[in-house]
Amino acid sequence: GAGQGLHGAQLVRKLRREVPAALLANYQLWPAAHLINFAFVPPQYRALYVNVVSFAFMMFLSKIANAAPATAPAPPPTKVP
């Protein structure tokens, strides 16, 4: 975002491209992770479990944030007679 030198329309495009995927992943991951945490993880390991899941989720978010934007495919090469 702004920390990457993006401003104005560039920042808006980046947010529109990345936020929906991040929110969807968030809404899919955390309810399931917490269900598993409170149902199956012993109390003394719950914080460790959440930290491990959180670390993996942060790697996923970093991958989204640092992915190159999709570009239009190159036109097919033309044949020279």
Side-chain angles (χ1 to χ4, degrees):
Q4 296 173 334
L6 299 177
H7 299 288
Q10 289 177 324
L11 182 59
V12 170
R13 279 193 301 274
K14 183 173 178 65
L15 290 174
R16 285 187 178 154
R17 184 178 66 240
E18 295 172 3
V19 169
L23 278 175
L24 180 62
N26 181 61
Y27 295 149
Q28 291 174 334
L29 172 70
W30 288 112
H34 287 301
L35 178 71
I36 292 168
N37 190 25
F38 291 115
F40 303 110
V41 178
Q44 66 268 26
Y45 298 120
R46 287 182 181 163
L48 176 63
Y49 169 79
V50 170
N51 283 329
V52 169
V53 173
S54 189
F55 180 75
F57 187 61
M58 289 299 129
M59 288 191 304
F60 170 75
L61 291 178
S62 178
K63 180 182 176 196
I64 289 176
N66 293 304
T71 58
T78 57
K79 292 183 180 180
V80 179

